[in-house]
Amino acid sequence: MRYDVTIGIPVYNSEAYIRRAMESAMAQTYCSVELLIVDDGSIDDSLCVIESILKENERTENVRVISHRNNMGVSATRNEIINKAEGEYLFFMDSDDEIANFTISLLMDNARRYDAEMVFGSYEKIEIDGQRKVYKYPSVQFLEREQLARFAYRKYAGIQASACNYLIKTSLLRDNNLRFIDVNFWEDFVFTFELVTFVSRSVLLPDITYSYYCREGSLSHYQKRLNISKAEVLNNVRAIDHLKDSSCVYKDKDYFPNRCLAIVLTDFYISCNVIKKRKNIVPAISNKEIRSFMRHPALLSQIVHFKQSRFKNLIFFVVSASPPFVCVFFIWLLGKIKSLI
């Protein structure tokens, strides 16, 4: 490897944001850093902005720019970064976000100190209206296999759903053929959700190293939009279905019950948003389709023997097995109850 770290940035139609992301990446205090930018066939002026930044900046010898003639999708773009990164560790960031100038230095210090394969920083989320919300991890080290997975699955959103803001050993991804699945939405959630099961040594830090900017029209805000494509919703569900279909691999793990619960809770929140904005989804989504979203990743015979989260998993299994109208009613009711708590 030529570098300690590769910062990988997939770009698509980001002319209004890429300067902020690139300049924060190029301002890192850590020396051995490669910046690998892959433009995925942008049809705006993203490439022109990138080129102008490189002309303005003296620190460009460690920057590589790859340009796709046609749009291949964010999963293919991130996979290309995994394949072509020249860093011992890989750090993904999105083209509209920003990292602190000490980010890589702090994460690498901890990677070396604990011989860690994965190091997470904490982050702040900046809403469209400018409000900031901080998401902090505890300061903790997991130095045995499966400790990170247990932590990640112990509660809903135990770790960030994004593929950004953590260092990961590049060889771990390549040796285990870990890649992003071919969907346009939530591919990063699926990637990270599966990745934690392969990590033996990891570190979580409370330091805010990443600023995540929400944008109008992003999938995380589809519940705020007036017009929502049914295909968009189904792509969400397809990503979660991938996690369900791989669940049999983990059935003997002690974290399997909590993993199942995290998956069905994701289904539940998707379904709640679909029911809430049902009139805005085109074409319409039926009760039967919503029920199909709630398919449980475990069998009833497995759930009754769960030592963790048995009752909650059982509730969601029963909901998923109910007649479509009853299933939708219970999702709506549970959503109402949760919003009042």
Side-chain angles (χ1 to χ4, degrees):
M1 292 294 188
R2 292 183 56 197
Y3 301 93
D4 290 346
V5 179
T6 292
I7 298 177
I9 307 180
V11 175
Y12 181 69
N13 291 351
S14 301
E15 62 175 321
Y17 315 100
I18 186 59
R19 177 174 291 275
R20 177 175 62 203
M22 275 188 67
E23 290 182 346
S24 71
M26 296 171 73
Q28 292 303 296
T29 57
Y30 196 85
C31 293
S32 183
V33 177
E34 170 195 32
L35 177 56
L36 177 55
I37 300 169
V38 180
D39 178 77
D40 190 28
S42 293
I43 56 175
D44 66 356
D45 286 331
S46 293
L47 270 177
C48 293
V49 175
I50 292 169
E51 291 170 359
S52 67
I53 294 170
L54 295 179
K55 289 178 182 178
E56 297 166 8
N57 202 297
E58 296 180 357
R59 189 177 174 181
T60 60
E61 68 275 9
N62 299 325
V63 180
R64 279 193 293 156
V65 179
I66 298 172
S67 180
H68 294 164
R69 179 171 296 181
N70 300 307
N71 180 258
M72 298 172 61
V74 66
S75 292
T77 302
R78 285 203 178 107
N79 289 338
E80 183 170 11
I81 290 173
I82 293 173
N83 294 336
K84 295 187 177 178
E86 296 185 1
E88 179 187 0
Y89 286 85
L90 179 57
F91 180 94
F92 279 112
M93 67 178 295
D94 285 340
S95 59
D96 52 355
D97 294 336
E98 185 177 15
I99 55 176
N101 64 355
F102 60 82
T103 292
I104 299 302
S105 179
L106 176 67
L107 300 185
M108 278 302 299
D109 283 350
N110 281 271
R112 297 303 190 205
R113 183 180 307 158
Y114 297 103
D115 188 27
E117 299 162 321
M118 195 173 192
V119 183
F120 290 84
S122 296
Y123 65 101
E124 63 175 355
K125 185 177 181 180
I126 303 171
E127 298 288 351
I128 296 169
D129 59 8
Q131 293 189 39
R132 295 172 181 255
K133 186 173 183 179
V134 171
Y135 296 83
K136 276 196 173 188
Y137 291 118
S139 179
V140 64
Q141 302 85 43
F142 298 119
L143 305 181
E144 294 180 9
R145 184 73 180 264
E146 299 186 358
Q147 285 185 320
L148 177 60
R150 292 190 192 104
F151 176 87
Y153 300 147
R154 83 194 194 289
K155 65 175 184 177
Y156 181 74
I159 57 170
Q160 62 198 62
S162 168
C164 302
N165 199 33
Y166 55 75
L167 279 183
I168 182 66
K169 206 76 174 285
T170 308
S171 59
L172 184 143
L173 300 179
R174 293 174 178 170
D175 292 348
N176 293 286
N177 196 30
L178 296 172
R179 297 296 189 272
F180 292 86
I181 63 172
D182 186 22
V183 295
N184 292 325
F185 306 113
W186 287 26
E187 78 296 329
D188 48 354
F189 170 68
V190 173
F191 178 80
T192 303
F193 200 86
E194 298 279 35
L195 171 59
V196 296
T197 66
F198 291 86
V199 176
S200 298
R201 300 175 66 86
S202 57
V203 178
L204 275 66
L205 299 172
D207 308 79
I208 305 299
T209 53
Y210 197 98
S211 296
Y212 165 52
Y213 289 85
C214 298
R215 289 165 52 182
E216 291 281 1
S218 68
L219 186 63
S220 61
H221 285 81
Y222 73 75
Q223 67 269 26
K224 297 182 180 180
R225 302 201 322 253
L226 295 177
N227 297 296
I228 304 165
S229 165
K230 180 178 178 178
E232 191 174 284
V233 176
L234 294 180
N235 267 306
N236 268 242
V237 176
R238 189 156 67 93
I240 306 307
D241 282 347
H242 177 88
L243 295 176
K244 295 178 185 180
D245 294 339
S246 66
S247 289
C248 60
V249 176
Y250 306 101
K251 62 183 176 64
D252 295 325
K253 302 293 185 181
D254 61 3
Y255 55 70
F256 180 60
N258 287 336
R259 184 182 189 275
C260 288
L261 183 59
I263 292 172
V264 295
L265 279 171
T266 305
D267 287 328
F268 169 69
Y269 289 119
I270 291 174
S271 299
C272 283
N273 282 323
V274 167
I275 293 169
K276 183 179 178 181
K277 298 291 289 186
R278 202 167 185 179
K279 293 180 180 179
N280 303 95
I281 299 173
V282 180
I285 290 182
S286 69
N287 288 342
K288 186 176 181 180
E289 287 174 308
I290 294 175
R291 186 184 66 173
S292 72
F293 299 169
M294 297 298 298
R295 174 173 64 93
H296 201 285
L299 301 173
L300 180 60
S301 59
Q302 294 172 317
I303 295 173
V304 295
H305 292 102
F306 281 176
K307 294 181 179 180
Q308 301 171 349
S309 307
R310 182 193 303 164
F311 181 67
K312 291 181 179 178
N313 273 295
L314 189 58
I315 288 175
F316 282 113
F317 183 90
V318 171
V319 168
S320 70
S322 302
F325 175 79
V326 176
C327 175
V328 170
F329 173 76
F330 272 107
I331 294 170
W332 173 84
L333 182 61
L334 289 171
K336 284 290 185 182
I337 293 171
K338 182 169 179 57
S339 67
L340 294 174
I341 297 175

